[in-house]
Amino acid sequence: MTSDGGSGAAAIRVEGVSHRYLPARGKPVLALDHVSLEVREREFLALLGPSGCGKSTLLYLIGGFLPIGEGLIEVGGKRVSEPGPDRGIVFQHFALFPWKTVRENVTYGLAKQGLPRDEQTRRAQEFIDLVKLSGFEDAYPAQLSGGMKQRAALARTLAIDPAILLMDEPFGALDAQTRILMQEELLSIWQRRRKTVVFVTHDVQEAVYLAERVAVMSARPGRIKEIVDTRFSVSGPALFKSPEFVERVDHVWNLVRGEAIAAQGGAA
Amino acid sequence: MTATLWRYTPLLLIFVIWEAGTQTGIISKWALPTFSAVVAAWLSLMQGGELLYHAAASLMRGFAGLGLAIIVGTTLGVLMAWVKPVRLIFNPIVQLFYPMPKSALIPIMILWLGLGHASKIVLIFLGCMLPVTISAFNGARGVEPVLIWSARSLGATRGQVLREIILPAAMPEILAGIRTALALSFVLLVSSELVIAREGLGYLIGWLGDGGVYASMFAVVLTVAGLGFVADRLYLMLMKRSLAWRE
Ligand SMILES: Nc1ncnc2c1ncn2[C@@H]1O[C@H](COP(=O)(O)OP(=O)(O)OP(=O)(O)O)[C@@H](O)[C@H]1O
Ligand SMILES: [Mg+2]
């Protein structure tokens, strides 16, 4: 199903990467087993797979947060060794700084870029408005709902305009309407700012709709099972009813379902 | 306001029983002067200015020692948590000295630093530093890795992460440790001044006691208790305000 998909060089190259967690108590957990994956420059790639298959782990490795024990990860042709603002990440559980207000959270990365104070404030406001959190600038994370925290985390990462966006179920806590709004905003930012996006989700339709390619992972230990091309000739609302879209969603669904069953069998 | 008053009625009751017990002779006047005599003694100590003079000396020593303990203890605890060589060097030292009764240091400090301010300040510093160090260490160890990762991917350097992420994330535990240290500083202050000093509230208690002026001695003891209480309340207020983000 994979096709040429543009001649762009690899933005992210993952080659034969395995990751083993070594908890202080208990047995080591093999989370990733020889994963290889290439994400092209300016590509929107979705990562699908059953819970616990290592999607977050893969993002953490690309982000440079975990040491790479086995294999190789390159970003922009350079070996990943530590985190950096070229790779913005939206964490599954938001990871907002609880002692900072929404505005202070969003400003944090902008200050690190050395922007003048009023430019920081202006830009922070722009992204707070974008995620529809106007009026909550001075609220602390503890005062926000799950969906609001998620949007604050989105604003914080988008504001620093990273070349690569690593997003771990970034819309998971949102209601259906907000989710659609945020999907459109993300697509528009991706198109305007020409970013590379790696997008983890559990929602097959969302993956097929947003991404150019969908990588389906197998149950733990995670591997890339299949990569499905999900670019279509139709666009806009008509896409959802087009036969090619429906067929592709169905195909990905079957892949994911197979893995979900395998995961349960493994757990039982 | 009335709620606060009601909360402290048991305390008021103790003073009433005290007064009634000593006035009727149920409690011997030799064991305990009447409450009214203690109040009168307190007023005269205030008017004479002795109380203020000795209190100022004590508070200065307390603040200096505790302030040093907070600065050094917090820095050391955070560094121990996140810089391995610092942990390897200081962990055994901290573990060895933490359970030691700090009052055992009193004679050593006096031997080394004399009868004046320095011996008390260093004693309080040494005694109060370890509770702060240990709470800062535990708080800093407990910081969620994703917070550190967030900061790093937003462009923070390792040093900035230490100051801007780990320190505030550990703040609730650090502040709790400082509260313990605050109480401990009063204990060390008064006991070291009681042992040997030329001024201070502890010295005043000892001096009045030796002279048999028991009403005045009790007045100073009550002053120490009151100061400790007020300091703790003020500290709690400050702590609540700086942790407002926790809701
Ligand atoms: N800190 C850790 N210590 C030990 N094992 C871990 C740790 N973090 C994750 N794991 C294990 O590694 C595996 C992969 O975890 P990971 O969080 O990457 O999965 P995931 O695909 O993101 O799951 P989900 O869809 O539920 O978010 C899981 O089986 C998990 O139990
Ligand atoms: Mg995950």
PDB file of all heavy atoms in Angstrom, chain B residues 23-35:
ATOM      1  N   GLN B  23      -5.321  30.395  92.847  1.00  0.00           N
ATOM      2  CA  GLN B  23      -5.958  31.309  93.805  1.00  0.00           C
ATOM      3  C   GLN B  23      -6.554  30.546  94.976  1.00  0.00           C
ATOM      4  O   GLN B  23      -6.436  30.970  96.124  1.00  0.00           O
ATOM      5  CB  GLN B  23      -7.072  32.125  93.112  1.00  0.00           C
ATOM      6  CG  GLN B  23      -6.578  33.226  92.176  1.00  0.00           C
ATOM      7  CD  GLN B  23      -5.945  34.405  92.906  1.00  0.00           C
ATOM      8  OE1 GLN B  23      -5.933  34.462  94.144  1.00  0.00           O
ATOM      9  NE2 GLN B  23      -5.383  35.347  92.143  1.00  0.00           N
ATOM     10  N   THR B  24      -7.202  29.399  94.698  1.00  0.00           N
ATOM     11  CA  THR B  24      -7.846  28.630  95.773  1.00  0.00           C
ATOM     12  C   THR B  24      -6.849  27.788  96.545  1.00  0.00           C
ATOM     13  O   THR B  24      -7.205  27.215  97.564  1.00  0.00           O
ATOM     14  CB  THR B  24      -8.920  27.692  95.184  1.00  0.00           C
ATOM     15  OG1 THR B  24      -8.303  26.910  94.153  1.00  0.00           O
ATOM     16  CG2 THR B  24     -10.086  28.465  94.595  1.00  0.00           C
ATOM     17  N   GLY B  25      -5.612  27.683  96.031  1.00  0.00           N
ATOM     18  CA  GLY B  25      -4.604  26.908  96.744  1.00  0.00           C
ATOM     19  C   GLY B  25      -4.614  25.431  96.403  1.00  0.00           C
ATOM     20  O   GLY B  25      -3.869  24.639  96.983  1.00  0.00           O
ATOM     21  N   ILE B  26      -5.496  24.999  95.470  1.00  0.00           N
ATOM     22  CA  ILE B  26      -5.485  23.590  95.036  1.00  0.00           C
ATOM     23  C   ILE B  26      -4.132  23.276  94.407  1.00  0.00           C
ATOM     24  O   ILE B  26      -3.552  22.217  94.614  1.00  0.00           O
ATOM     25  CB  ILE B  26      -6.643  23.320  94.044  1.00  0.00           C
ATOM     26  CG1 ILE B  26      -7.992  23.534  94.768  1.00  0.00           C
ATOM     27  CG2 ILE B  26      -6.552  21.901  93.460  1.00  0.00           C
ATOM     28  CD1 ILE B  26      -9.181  23.489  93.861  1.00  0.00           C
ATOM     29  N   ILE B  27      -3.636  24.243  93.607  1.00  0.00           N
ATOM     30  CA  ILE B  27      -2.279  24.119  93.087  1.00  0.00           C
ATOM     31  C   ILE B  27      -1.382  25.002  93.949  1.00  0.00           C
ATOM     32  O   ILE B  27      -1.693  26.178  94.162  1.00  0.00           O
ATOM     33  CB  ILE B  27      -2.199  24.580  91.620  1.00  0.00           C
ATOM     34  CG1 ILE B  27      -3.232  23.826  90.763  1.00  0.00           C
ATOM     35  CG2 ILE B  27      -0.793  24.383  91.073  1.00  0.00           C
ATOM     36  CD1 ILE B  27      -3.394  24.395  89.373  1.00  0.00           C
ATOM     37  N   SER B  28      -0.280  24.435  94.428  1.00  0.00           N
ATOM     38  CA  SER B  28       0.592  25.186  95.324  1.00  0.00           C
ATOM     39  C   SER B  28       1.215  26.378  94.603  1.00  0.00           C
ATOM     40  O   SER B  28       1.660  26.261  93.461  1.00  0.00           O
ATOM     41  CB  SER B  28       1.691  24.262  95.866  1.00  0.00           C
ATOM     42  OG  SER B  28       2.855  25.029  96.129  1.00  0.00           O
ATOM     43  N   LYS B  29       1.248  27.531  95.260  1.00  0.00           N
ATOM     44  CA  LYS B  29       1.826  28.730  94.662  1.00  0.00           C
ATOM     45  C   LYS B  29       3.321  28.590  94.430  1.00  0.00           C
ATOM     46  O   LYS B  29       3.928  29.306  93.651  1.00  0.00           O
ATOM     47  CB  LYS B  29       1.542  29.946  95.548  1.00  0.00           C
ATOM     48  CG  LYS B  29       0.200  30.568  95.214  1.00  0.00           C
ATOM     49  CD  LYS B  29      -0.063  31.873  95.931  1.00  0.00           C
ATOM     50  CE  LYS B  29      -1.521  32.255  95.699  1.00  0.00           C
ATOM     51  NZ  LYS B  29      -1.943  33.383  96.499  1.00  0.00           N
ATOM     52  N   TRP B  30       3.925  27.630  95.151  1.00  0.00           N
ATOM     53  CA  TRP B  30       5.365  27.407  94.969  1.00  0.00           C
ATOM     54  C   TRP B  30       5.664  26.682  93.649  1.00  0.00           C
ATOM     55  O   TRP B  30       6.719  26.873  93.060  1.00  0.00           O
ATOM     56  CB  TRP B  30       5.937  26.619  96.140  1.00  0.00           C
ATOM     57  CG  TRP B  30       5.780  27.417  97.409  1.00  0.00           C
ATOM     58  CD1 TRP B  30       4.993  27.115  98.473  1.00  0.00           C
ATOM     59  CD2 TRP B  30       6.403  28.676  97.698  1.00  0.00           C
ATOM     60  NE1 TRP B  30       5.079  28.098  99.431  1.00  0.00           N
ATOM     61  CE2 TRP B  30       5.939  29.083  98.980  1.00  0.00           C
ATOM     62  CE3 TRP B  30       7.297  29.527  97.022  1.00  0.00           C
ATOM     63  CZ2 TRP B  30       6.332  30.265  99.589  1.00  0.00           C
ATOM     64  CZ3 TRP B  30       7.688  30.692  97.624  1.00  0.00           C
ATOM     65  CH2 TRP B  30       7.211  31.052  98.899  1.00  0.00           C
ATOM     66  N   ALA B  31       4.679  25.838  93.232  1.00  0.00           N
ATOM     67  CA  ALA B  31       4.853  25.134  91.966  1.00  0.00           C
ATOM     68  C   ALA B  31       4.518  26.038  90.798  1.00  0.00           C
ATOM     69  O   ALA B  31       5.164  25.985  89.749  1.00  0.00           O
ATOM     70  CB  ALA B  31       3.974  23.885  91.931  1.00  0.00           C
ATOM     71  N   LEU B  32       3.500  26.836  90.969  1.00  0.00           N
ATOM     72  CA  LEU B  32       2.999  27.647  89.857  1.00  0.00           C
ATOM     73  C   LEU B  32       2.467  28.971  90.375  1.00  0.00           C
ATOM     74  O   LEU B  32       1.537  28.985  91.182  1.00  0.00           O
ATOM     75  CB  LEU B  32       1.873  26.868  89.149  1.00  0.00           C
ATOM     76  CG  LEU B  32       1.354  27.408  87.821  1.00  0.00           C
ATOM     77  CD1 LEU B  32       2.425  27.309  86.744  1.00  0.00           C
ATOM     78  CD2 LEU B  32       0.111  26.637  87.392  1.00  0.00           C
ATOM     79  N   PRO B  33       3.058  30.104  89.982  1.00  0.00           N
ATOM     80  CA  PRO B  33       2.510  31.401  90.386  1.00  0.00           C
ATOM     81  C   PRO B  33       1.131  31.591  89.766  1.00  0.00           C
ATOM     82  O   PRO B  33       0.823  30.933  88.767  1.00  0.00           O
ATOM     83  CB  PRO B  33       3.512  32.411  89.831  1.00  0.00           C
ATOM     84  CG  PRO B  33       4.496  31.655  89.010  1.00  0.00           C
ATOM     85  CD  PRO B  33       4.211  30.218  89.088  1.00  0.00           C
ATOM     86  N   THR B  34       0.323  32.474  90.310  1.00  0.00           N
ATOM     87  CA  THR B  34      -1.008  32.692  89.738  1.00  0.00           C
ATOM     88  C   THR B  34      -0.843  33.302  88.341  1.00  0.00           C
ATOM     89  O   THR B  34       0.148  33.971  88.043  1.00  0.00           O
ATOM     90  CB  THR B  34      -1.852  33.665  90.587  1.00  0.00           C
ATOM     91  OG1 THR B  34      -1.161  34.917  90.597  1.00  0.00           O
ATOM     92  CG2 THR B  34      -2.059  33.147  91.981  1.00  0.00           C
ATOM     93  N   PHE B  35      -1.870  33.029  87.521  1.00  0.00           N
ATOM     94  CA  PHE B  35      -1.822  33.520  86.138  1.00  0.00           C
ATOM     95  C   PHE B  35      -1.763  35.051  86.133  1.00  0.00           C
ATOM     96  O   PHE B  35      -1.038  35.660  85.355  1.00  0.00           O
ATOM     97  CB  PHE B  35      -3.043  33.002  85.362  1.00  0.00           C
ATOM     98  CG  PHE B  35      -3.049  33.425  83.925  1.00  0.00           C
ATOM     99  CD1 PHE B  35      -2.027  33.049  83.066  1.00  0.00           C
ATOM    100  CD2 PHE B  35      -4.086  34.215  83.415  1.00  0.00           C
ATOM    101  CE1 PHE B  35      -2.032  33.433  81.737  1.00  0.00           C
ATOM    102  CE2 PHE B  35      -4.096  34.619  82.092  1.00  0.00           C
ATOM    103  CZ  PHE B  35      -3.063  34.223  81.251  1.00  0.00           C
TER     104      PHE B  35
END
